[in-house]
């Protein structure tokens, strides 16, 4: 911790030297103080979203196994990504088909669906494959207008997809009649991979070429599909996780996020605190608890939670930034500036932090410092609407003196 604060102090020192150097080089400015009193600068938004607990390393996630996401969650995720998917059955029916076909072969159905989501663009298509093919994983497509395989029904298309995955990860034959036209080709002509690729990241450069991050892309979708929202599907999944008690801390964090999304702040707080009773240094639970405490206007408690989080992980950049915002709201300007500068010591490109440093100085009527940091914020991000609005309002009250 001491090393990090030393780094933060060095950065602060460099920033102050840079400010002095810049001030010496640039033309002096005059501030229209009467006009400045009439404007109001806006703080930048909270950083970071609620965090679920993901215990597995991507490189360790197996192709075979049980689903983590429920069917209702997958339906909800698909509908959110594409309200009008080009599927020859209902979304609910297709998801159910995948779970039946994949579970029969021991393949993880929720991740297989995420592979289909990647391959079809959430069933929006747009490439060589057309919806009528019921080809959900690009079987037989090689580019250049080659459409690949056709399947008579969504069930056969999903079954072929699962069988093709099986050919990569197991030498055991499918438990149903083979409908994947390429299954025997893999077995005969690619013995180096037949039944030997057991992890999703093993598909990199094999299923898709070059596909350097193919498996990671699928797993990113899978993690996103598990992110809870305010829906009944998420609450049902959360209660099931708690009932199973496979991972108490993770289960309560998950339900806490559902309650947070539903604005049930009291219940959310209880869930995150229960998770922390199981694992007192669980960063995800601490961060989610701090977010909940801020939303419920309990700023002092949120600051204390960030104190605990940053003592555990001094590189948690959103922790520094968000705690700075809370201190700014309590008019602890010195503490806020220190936290924003600590966040900049970790993440140097952060227009929001520069904006809020400017705001802290502005509220103290230290207009020279405020103007300097407002310029830094605007220079870093020209697409940040809050920063640009603040900059324009401030600039209208600044007059450059001629030498």
């Amino acid at each position: 911790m001491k090393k990090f604060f030393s780094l933060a102090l060095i950065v602060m020192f460099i920033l102050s030297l840079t400010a002095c150097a810049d001030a010496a080089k640039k033309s002096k400015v005059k501030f229209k103080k009467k006009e400045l009193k009439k404007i109001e600068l806006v703080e930048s938004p909270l950083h970071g979203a609620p965090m679920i607990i993901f215990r597995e390393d991507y490189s360790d996630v197996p192709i075979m196994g049980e689903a983590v996401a429920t069917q209702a969650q997958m339906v909800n995720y698909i509908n959110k990504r594409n309200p009008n998917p080009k599927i020859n059955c209902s979304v609910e029916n297709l998801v159910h088909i995948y779970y039946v076909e994949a579970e029969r072969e021991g393949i993880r159905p929720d991740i297989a669906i995420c592979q289909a989501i990647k391959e079809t663009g959430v069933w929006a298509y747009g490439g060589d494959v057309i919806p009528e093919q019921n080809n959900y994983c690009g079987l037989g497509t090689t580019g250049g207008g080659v459409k690949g395989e056709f399947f008579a029904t969504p069930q056969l298309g999903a079954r072929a997809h699962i069988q093709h995955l099986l050919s990569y990860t197991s030498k055991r034959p499918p438990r149903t009649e083979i409908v994947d036209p390429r299954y025997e080709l893999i077995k005969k002509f690619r013995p180096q991979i037949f039944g030997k690729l057991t992890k999703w990241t093993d598909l990199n450069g094999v299923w898709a070429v070059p596909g350097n991050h193919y498996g990671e892309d699928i797993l990113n979708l899978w993690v996103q599909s598990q992110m809870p929202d305010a829906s009944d599907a998420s609450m049902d999944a959360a209660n099931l996780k708690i009932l199973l008690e496979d991972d108490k801390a993770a289960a309560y964090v998950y339900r806490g996020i559902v309650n947070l999304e539903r604005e049930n702040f009291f219940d959310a707080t209880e869930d995150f605190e229960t998770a922390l009773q199981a694992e007192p240094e669980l960063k995800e639970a601490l961060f989610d608890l701090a977010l909940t405490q801020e939303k419920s206007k309990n700023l002092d408690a949120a600051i204390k939670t960030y104190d605990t989080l940053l003592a555990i992980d001094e590189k948690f950049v959103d922790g520094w930034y968000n705690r700075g915002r809370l201190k700014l709201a309590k008019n602890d300007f010195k503490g806020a500036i220190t936290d924003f500068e600590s966040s900049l010591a970790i993440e140097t490109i952060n227009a929001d932090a520069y904006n809020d440093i400017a705001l802290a100085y502005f509220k103290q009527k230290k207009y020279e410092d405020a103007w300097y940091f407002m310029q830094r914020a605007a220079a870093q991000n020209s697409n940040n609407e809050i920063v640009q609005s603040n900059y324009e309002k401030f600039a209208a009250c600044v007059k450059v003196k001629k030498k």
Side-chain angles (χ1 to χ4, degrees):
M1 193 70 175
K2 290 181 180 178
K3 289 183 180 179
F4 179 70
F5 276 118
S6 298
L7 176 61
L9 289 171
I10 292 170
V11 171
M12 291 165 63
F13 180 65
I14 292 171
L15 285 173
S16 64
L17 288 179
T18 305
C20 293
D22 285 1
K25 290 179 183 177
K26 66 186 178 184
S27 300
K28 290 185 178 181
V29 297
K30 181 179 180 181
F31 298 100
K32 303 174 186 177
K33 294 186 179 179
K34 287 185 179 180
E35 297 300 317
L36 284 171
K37 291 178 181 179
K38 298 177 184 178
I39 68 172
E40 186 175 340
L41 302 184
V42 179
E43 70 175 350
S44 293
L46 189 74
H47 278 197
M51 300 170 65
I52 61 171
I53 296 169
F54 186 70
R55 304 285 193 187
E56 295 178 275
D57 187 282
Y58 275 5
S59 62
D60 294 329
V61 179
I63 294 173
M64 303 194 80
E66 296 180 357
V68 173
T70 66
Q71 292 188 43
Q73 280 181 289
M74 295 310 304
V75 169
N76 191 44
Y77 181 58
I78 292 167
N79 285 332
K80 282 196 298 185
R81 295 282 306 268
N82 183 1
N84 298 296
K86 298 174 183 176
I87 303 173
N88 299 313
C89 63
S90 68
V91 174
E92 290 82 358
N93 193 18
L94 184 63
V95 168
H96 178 68
I97 287 169
Y98 260 97
Y99 273 70
V100 170
E101 296 295 334
E103 287 174 351
R104 181 192 297 123
E105 302 296 354
I107 302 292
R108 299 178 77 159
D110 47 352
I111 311 183
I113 290 172
C114 289
Q115 184 180 24
I117 287 172
K118 175 175 173 59
E119 289 284 348
T120 63
V122 202
W123 288 278
Y125 295 98
D128 295 328
V129 178
I130 57 176
E132 289 74 18
Q133 289 178 245
N134 296 312
N135 184 345
Y136 306 130
C137 63
L139 278 175
T141 58
T142 56
V146 177
K147 294 190 179 303
E149 308 295 345
F150 282 71
F151 301 98
T153 65
Q155 183 168 26
L156 291 176
R159 183 175 296 174
H161 178 186
I162 298 302
Q163 289 180 350
H164 202 65
L165 278 169
L166 186 67
S167 73
Y168 280 61
T169 197
S170 173
K171 294 184 178 181
R172 172 185 60 76
R175 293 194 168 98
T176 57
E177 180 183 353
I178 296 174
V179 297
D180 169 22
R182 308 188 73 78
Y183 181 91
E184 294 296 342
L185 296 178
I186 295 291
K187 183 177 180 180
K188 184 176 180 179
F189 295 110
R190 304 189 74 180
Q192 73 277 17
I193 64 170
F194 179 66
K196 295 180 179 178
L197 308 183
T198 60
K199 308 290 196 303
W200 287 96
T201 51
D202 291 341
L203 301 181
N204 293 353
V206 179
W207 193 292
V209 179
N212 296 328
H213 303 286
Y214 183 75
E216 287 85 352
D217 290 346
I218 292 168
L219 293 170
N220 280 333
L221 293 171
W222 177 56
V223 172
Q224 290 171 28
S225 74
Q226 296 174 62
M227 280 303 298
D229 54 21
S231 67
D232 290 341
S234 288
M235 183 57 81
D236 290 342
N239 288 328
L240 179 61
K241 289 176 185 292
I242 289 171
L243 182 65
L244 294 174
E245 290 190 343
D246 291 334
D247 188 330
K248 182 176 181 179
Y252 277 96
V253 165
Y254 191 97
R255 193 175 70 178
I257 296 173
V258 179
N259 279 315
L260 174 57
E261 294 294 335
R262 292 184 172 201
E263 298 188 350
N264 296 333
F265 300 130
F266 180 81
D267 291 339
T269 298
E270 279 200 335
D271 282 337
F272 296 135
E273 288 177 344
T274 301
L276 287 166
Q277 288 171 11
E279 292 186 46
E281 295 191 353
L282 190 60
K283 291 186 287 186
E284 295 89 344
L286 286 164
F287 185 67
D288 294 346
L289 176 59
L291 296 180
T292 304
Q293 290 165 331
E294 177 173 354
K295 287 182 179 293
S296 57
K297 310 300 182 185
N298 196 346
L299 304 192
D300 289 333
I303 288 172
K304 287 182 180 179
T305 301
Y306 280 125
D307 291 344
T308 303
L309 173 61
L310 292 168
I312 294 166
D313 184 358
E314 61 190 19
K315 295 296 181 69
F316 203 115
V317 63
D318 288 343
W320 291 108
Y321 172 81
N322 288 346
R323 192 177 71 174
R325 290 177 68 259
L326 294 170
K327 289 180 179 179
L328 184 59
K330 292 177 65 63
N331 293 329
D332 176 7
F333 302 122
K334 183 178 179 180
I337 290 168
T338 298
D339 278 355
F340 293 136
E341 289 179 334
S342 294
S343 75
L344 285 164
I346 305 166
E347 187 178 85
T348 56
I349 306 300
N350 190 339
D352 286 340
Y354 280 119
N355 176 79
D356 287 351
I357 292 173
L359 183 56
Y361 281 121
F362 186 84
K363 287 188 173 185
Q364 298 175 81
K365 296 184 171 55
K366 296 180 179 180
Y367 297 129
E368 248 183 75
D369 291 321
W371 178 235
Y372 168 73
F373 283 103
M374 186 56 66
Q375 290 179 94
R376 292 290 298 269
Q380 263 201 2
N381 193 335
S382 60
N383 296 318
N384 187 314
E385 292 182 4
I386 289 176
V387 167
Q388 289 306 309
S389 175
N390 283 344
Y391 175 79
E392 289 168 9
K393 285 188 286 187
F394 205 151
C397 303
V398 175
K399 183 177 181 181
V400 179
K401 288 183 178 180
K402 293 183 179 180
K403 288 185 176 179

